[in-house]
Amino acid sequence: MPRRQPRFDRMGDANDGVTQMEAPVFKKFLPVAASIALVASLTACGSDSGSQASAAAGNDEIVMGFAQVGAESGWRTANTKSIQESAKAAGVTLKFSDAQQKQENQIKAIRSYIQQKVDVIAFSPVVETGWDTILLEAKRAKIPVILTDRAVDSEDKTLYKTFLGSDFVLEGKKAGEWLVKDSGSAGAVNVVELQGTTGAAPAIDRKEGFAEAIKANPQIKVIASQTGDFTRSGGKQVMEAFLKSNPDIDVVYAHNDDMGLGAIEAIEAAGKVPGKDIKIITIDAVKDGMQALADGKINYIVECSPLLGDQLMDLSKKVLAGETVPERVVTEESAFDQAQAKAALPTRKY
Ligand code: AHR
């Protein structure tokens, strides 16, 4: 099956069960053609077309339709907040829908945004595949689409303008590399993996990156791997089952903090000590995860930043002004051990 990008160089309305919130309404965005015409006429007159063109882009009031995945995790809540706050600050009218982790809801929301003739559509795809038809509808309606957070698996790269988000493979790789280092010359290390939503880019990529990082160390074995759907309750439930069927679990690798936090509950209920009897590695670094890391219940967290709002608004303005944007914008991220979490917590934004 074709994959959307090479791994490491990857640089509505409320119909049909879709929840929607709308920011205060601003004036409608000037058509892109008008901006281009303005730039052209300024150039012809010998004016400073560069600065005046960007001023024009900055003053346009844009209507954006944003189709969010859901509210499955602390990360997602922080991401939604970032997008809503940045839209407000940038004077962008935001039509926001929550797909409750269902692809069909996202498709309905995007179709509704097309019917409403929004200026730009942004979305974080629940799963990777199955987007070509709706993206083609947006393209035919001449509405640019920006992918945020998660990628789509499509061969047609003209269906969207840019993809802003993390390198999930790298995140998984960092998690695996920490484990290799931490395990040192220890004997067998039995890992259980709590996967994100089946078919979602972060679940696929974080699994791949981790497997890649540990593959030269055959003593580290993933003995069980199952989806917890990126939720705390899912992580707890799957971990309970893992604990019943596997007496010798050394490490939990959870694709996000929430599932790791759910696993902590299951481990404690089974009379074991998280962070000691069973080590825990997660991804995200949201406040609850960082607190558990500082408290010694998690051992290592790879950061995945949800603060994509400002960059999204900026990219949207550029796209609508006819400027060239990079096809991939990768978020900068770090990672934390327990001491680093203690130091970072007081100033943590999410
Ligand atoms: O797509 C980003 C992932 O989705 C986050 O890691 C996870 O917490 C969220 O649900």
mmCIF file of all heavy atoms in Angstrom, residues 73-76 78 232 257-258 261 283-291 301 304 306 345 348 350:
data_model
loop_
_atom_site.group_PDB
_atom_site.id
_atom_site.type_symbol
_atom_site.label_atom_id
_atom_site.label_comp_id
_atom_site.label_asym_id
_atom_site.label_seq_id
_atom_site.Cartn_x
_atom_site.Cartn_y
_atom_site.Cartn_z
ATOM 1 N N SER A 73 -8.385 12.894 24.586
ATOM 2 C CA SER A 73 -7.204 12.937 25.470
ATOM 3 C C SER A 73 -6.927 14.363 25.943
ATOM 4 O O SER A 73 -7.465 15.330 25.389
ATOM 5 C CB SER A 73 -5.977 12.438 24.688
ATOM 6 O OG SER A 73 -5.741 13.298 23.582
ATOM 7 N N GLY A 74 -6.050 14.467 26.944
ATOM 8 C CA GLY A 74 -5.628 15.783 27.411
ATOM 9 C C GLY A 74 -4.943 16.555 26.286
ATOM 10 O O GLY A 74 -5.061 17.775 26.167
ATOM 11 N N TRP A 75 -4.204 15.832 25.462
ATOM 12 C CA TRP A 75 -3.529 16.448 24.313
ATOM 13 C C TRP A 75 -4.559 17.100 23.399
ATOM 14 O O TRP A 75 -4.384 18.241 22.958
ATOM 15 C CB TRP A 75 -2.763 15.370 23.545
ATOM 16 C CG TRP A 75 -1.868 15.895 22.462
ATOM 17 C CD1 TRP A 75 -0.522 16.091 22.550
ATOM 18 C CD2 TRP A 75 -2.244 16.302 21.135
ATOM 19 N NE1 TRP A 75 -0.042 16.597 21.359
ATOM 20 C CE2 TRP A 75 -1.070 16.732 20.482
ATOM 21 C CE3 TRP A 75 -3.450 16.354 20.442
ATOM 22 C CZ2 TRP A 75 -1.065 17.207 19.164
ATOM 23 C CZ3 TRP A 75 -3.454 16.830 19.135
ATOM 24 C CH2 TRP A 75 -2.267 17.241 18.514
ATOM 25 N N ARG A 76 -5.640 16.366 23.119
ATOM 26 C CA ARG A 76 -6.635 16.875 22.178
ATOM 27 C C ARG A 76 -7.315 18.131 22.737
ATOM 28 O O ARG A 76 -7.573 19.088 22.009
ATOM 29 C CB ARG A 76 -7.671 15.774 21.899
ATOM 30 C CG ARG A 76 -8.628 16.080 20.752
ATOM 31 C CD ARG A 76 -7.962 16.227 19.423
ATOM 32 N NE ARG A 76 -7.172 15.065 19.060
ATOM 33 C CZ ARG A 76 -6.276 15.045 18.067
ATOM 34 N NH1 ARG A 76 -6.044 16.125 17.343
ATOM 35 N NH2 ARG A 76 -5.589 13.957 17.799
ATOM 36 N N ALA A 78 -6.009 20.299 24.758
ATOM 37 C CA ALA A 78 -5.041 21.404 24.638
ATOM 38 C C ALA A 78 -4.937 21.872 23.188
ATOM 39 O O ALA A 78 -4.791 23.067 22.918
ATOM 40 C CB ALA A 78 -3.675 20.958 25.152
ATOM 41 N N ARG A 232 -7.920 7.234 28.365
ATOM 42 C CA ARG A 232 -7.484 6.733 29.668
ATOM 43 C C ARG A 232 -8.209 5.422 30.001
ATOM 44 O O ARG A 232 -7.610 4.453 30.456
ATOM 45 C CB ARG A 232 -7.788 7.798 30.733
ATOM 46 C CG ARG A 232 -6.872 7.726 31.912
ATOM 47 C CD ARG A 232 -7.101 8.870 32.846
ATOM 48 N NE ARG A 232 -6.514 10.114 32.341
ATOM 49 C CZ ARG A 232 -6.088 11.103 33.113
ATOM 50 N NH1 ARG A 232 -6.161 11.001 34.428
ATOM 51 N NH2 ARG A 232 -5.596 12.203 32.599
ATOM 52 N N ASP A 257 -0.027 9.824 26.783
ATOM 53 C CA ASP A 257 -0.046 9.924 28.250
ATOM 54 C C ASP A 257 -1.320 9.324 28.832
ATOM 55 O O ASP A 257 -1.290 8.643 29.857
ATOM 56 C CB ASP A 257 0.014 11.403 28.679
ATOM 57 C CG ASP A 257 1.387 12.022 28.478
ATOM 58 O OD1 ASP A 257 2.344 11.302 28.150
ATOM 59 O OD2 ASP A 257 1.495 13.259 28.663
ATOM 60 N N ASP A 258 -2.459 9.642 28.200
ATOM 61 C CA ASP A 258 -3.733 9.197 28.780
ATOM 62 C C ASP A 258 -3.787 7.683 28.948
ATOM 63 O O ASP A 258 -4.212 7.185 29.997
ATOM 64 C CB ASP A 258 -4.915 9.691 27.931
ATOM 65 C CG ASP A 258 -5.252 11.134 28.273
ATOM 66 O OD1 ASP A 258 -4.557 12.029 27.769
ATOM 67 O OD2 ASP A 258 -6.184 11.354 29.074
ATOM 68 N N LEU A 261 -1.661 6.755 31.796
ATOM 69 C CA LEU A 261 -2.286 7.057 33.088
ATOM 70 C C LEU A 261 -3.333 6.002 33.435
ATOM 71 O O LEU A 261 -3.478 5.612 34.596
ATOM 72 C CB LEU A 261 -2.909 8.467 33.052
ATOM 73 C CG LEU A 261 -1.870 9.608 32.945
ATOM 74 C CD1 LEU A 261 -2.523 10.915 32.514
ATOM 75 C CD2 LEU A 261 -1.125 9.785 34.272
ATOM 76 N N ILE A 283 3.961 9.106 25.414
ATOM 77 C CA ILE A 283 4.197 10.219 24.471
ATOM 78 C C ILE A 283 3.115 11.279 24.689
ATOM 79 O O ILE A 283 1.950 10.928 24.912
ATOM 80 C CB ILE A 283 4.163 9.705 23.012
ATOM 81 C CG1 ILE A 283 5.314 8.711 22.804
ATOM 82 C CG2 ILE A 283 4.257 10.862 22.008
ATOM 83 C CD1 ILE A 283 5.361 8.026 21.466
ATOM 84 N N ASP A 284 3.496 12.536 24.623
ATOM 85 C CA ASP A 284 2.642 13.737 24.714
ATOM 86 C C ASP A 284 3.259 14.807 25.621
ATOM 87 O O ASP A 284 3.476 15.908 25.195
ATOM 88 C CB ASP A 284 1.208 13.477 25.211
ATOM 89 C CG ASP A 284 0.255 13.049 24.097
ATOM 90 O OD1 ASP A 284 0.681 13.013 22.918
ATOM 91 O OD2 ASP A 284 -0.909 12.726 24.401
ATOM 92 N N ALA A 285 3.422 14.453 26.927
ATOM 93 C CA ALA A 285 3.903 15.425 27.918
ATOM 94 C C ALA A 285 2.868 16.489 28.249
ATOM 95 O O ALA A 285 3.183 17.672 28.353
ATOM 96 C CB ALA A 285 5.232 16.068 27.488
ATOM 97 N N VAL A 286 1.599 16.065 28.395
ATOM 98 C CA VAL A 286 0.576 16.982 28.923
ATOM 99 C C VAL A 286 0.731 17.028 30.447
ATOM 100 O O VAL A 286 1.422 16.184 31.028
ATOM 101 C CB VAL A 286 -0.864 16.542 28.530
ATOM 102 C CG1 VAL A 286 -1.062 16.644 27.036
ATOM 103 C CG2 VAL A 286 -1.183 15.134 29.019
ATOM 104 N N LYS A 287 0.074 18.002 31.087
ATOM 105 C CA LYS A 287 0.313 18.227 32.524
ATOM 106 C C LYS A 287 0.129 16.981 33.388
ATOM 107 O O LYS A 287 0.976 16.675 34.229
ATOM 108 C CB LYS A 287 -0.593 19.350 33.028
ATOM 109 C CG LYS A 287 0.089 20.694 32.938
ATOM 110 C CD LYS A 287 -0.339 21.635 34.056
ATOM 111 C CE LYS A 287 0.437 22.938 33.920
ATOM 112 N NZ LYS A 287 -0.346 24.073 33.479
ATOM 113 N N ASP A 288 -0.977 16.239 33.186
ATOM 114 C CA ASP A 288 -1.223 15.047 34.024
ATOM 115 C C ASP A 288 -0.107 14.011 33.852
ATOM 116 O O ASP A 288 0.309 13.361 34.809
ATOM 117 C CB ASP A 288 -2.565 14.392 33.665
ATOM 118 C CG ASP A 288 -3.743 15.212 34.166
ATOM 119 O OD1 ASP A 288 -3.528 16.248 34.826
ATOM 120 O OD2 ASP A 288 -4.894 14.808 33.880
ATOM 121 N N GLY A 289 0.357 13.871 32.626
ATOM 122 C CA GLY A 289 1.444 12.927 32.359
ATOM 123 C C GLY A 289 2.715 13.402 33.026
ATOM 124 O O GLY A 289 3.438 12.613 33.669
ATOM 125 N N MET A 290 3.008 14.685 32.895
ATOM 126 C CA MET A 290 4.229 15.241 33.483
ATOM 127 C C MET A 290 4.195 15.149 35.010
ATOM 128 O O MET A 290 5.224 14.915 35.648
ATOM 129 C CB MET A 290 4.391 16.701 33.041
ATOM 130 C CG MET A 290 4.705 16.846 31.569
ATOM 131 S SD MET A 290 6.386 16.341 31.169
ATOM 132 C CE MET A 290 7.250 17.868 31.467
ATOM 133 N N GLN A 291 3.000 15.315 35.591
ATOM 134 C CA GLN A 291 2.877 15.188 37.046
ATOM 135 C C GLN A 291 3.198 13.754 37.480
ATOM 136 O O GLN A 291 3.943 13.532 38.442
ATOM 137 C CB GLN A 291 1.450 15.583 37.482
ATOM 138 C CG GLN A 291 1.275 15.696 38.992
ATOM 139 C CD GLN A 291 2.197 16.743 39.624
ATOM 140 O OE1 GLN A 291 2.148 17.918 39.264
ATOM 141 N NE2 GLN A 291 3.087 16.313 40.521
ATOM 142 N N ILE A 301 8.894 10.476 29.133
ATOM 143 C CA ILE A 301 7.843 10.951 28.217
ATOM 144 C C ILE A 301 8.487 11.671 27.036
ATOM 145 O O ILE A 301 9.324 12.563 27.207
ATOM 146 C CB ILE A 301 6.845 11.921 28.903
ATOM 147 C CG1 ILE A 301 6.146 11.255 30.092
ATOM 148 C CG2 ILE A 301 5.801 12.400 27.900
ATOM 149 C CD1 ILE A 301 5.063 12.110 30.754
ATOM 150 N N CYS A 304 4.963 15.650 22.476
ATOM 151 C CA CYS A 304 4.252 15.868 21.215
ATOM 152 C C CYS A 304 3.448 17.147 21.442
ATOM 153 O O CYS A 304 2.505 17.157 22.236
ATOM 154 C CB CYS A 304 3.324 14.692 20.914
ATOM 155 S SG CYS A 304 2.307 14.929 19.450
ATOM 156 N N PRO A 306 0.822 20.018 21.286
ATOM 157 C CA PRO A 306 -0.513 20.297 20.723
ATOM 158 C C PRO A 306 -0.696 21.763 20.325
ATOM 159 O O PRO A 306 -1.739 22.129 19.788
ATOM 160 C CB PRO A 306 -1.445 19.957 21.896
ATOM 161 C CG PRO A 306 -0.631 20.237 23.120
ATOM 162 C CD PRO A 306 0.821 20.050 22.767
ATOM 163 N N LEU A 345 7.586 21.357 35.038
ATOM 164 C CA LEU A 345 6.168 21.453 35.413
ATOM 165 C C LEU A 345 5.663 22.858 35.768
ATOM 166 O O LEU A 345 4.593 23.258 35.274
ATOM 167 C CB LEU A 345 5.873 20.506 36.581
ATOM 168 C CG LEU A 345 5.140 19.211 36.196
ATOM 169 C CD1 LEU A 345 5.019 18.301 37.405
ATOM 170 C CD2 LEU A 345 3.762 19.493 35.618
ATOM 171 N N ARG A 348 4.829 24.763 32.612
ATOM 172 C CA ARG A 348 4.214 23.996 31.520
ATOM 173 C C ARG A 348 2.913 24.667 31.084
ATOM 174 O O ARG A 348 2.064 24.985 31.922
ATOM 175 C CB ARG A 348 3.948 22.574 32.023
ATOM 176 C CG ARG A 348 3.779 21.554 30.955
ATOM 177 C CD ARG A 348 5.068 21.083 30.387
ATOM 178 N NE ARG A 348 4.813 20.228 29.248
ATOM 179 C CZ ARG A 348 5.499 20.267 28.128
ATOM 180 N NH1 ARG A 348 6.522 21.082 28.009
ATOM 181 N NH2 ARG A 348 5.203 19.475 27.141
ATOM 182 N N TYR A 350 0.509 23.355 29.018
ATOM 183 C CA TYR A 350 -0.648 22.471 28.783
ATOM 184 C C TYR A 350 -0.503 21.144 29.513
ATOM 185 O O TYR A 350 0.589 20.819 29.967
ATOM 186 C CB TYR A 350 -0.831 22.206 27.281
ATOM 187 C CG TYR A 350 0.394 21.645 26.589
ATOM 188 C CD1 TYR A 350 0.596 20.269 26.496
ATOM 189 C CD2 TYR A 350 1.369 22.489 26.046
ATOM 190 C CE1 TYR A 350 1.719 19.756 25.866
ATOM 191 C CE2 TYR A 350 2.488 21.985 25.409
ATOM 192 C CZ TYR A 350 2.659 20.621 25.331
ATOM 193 O OH TYR A 350 3.779 20.109 24.703
#
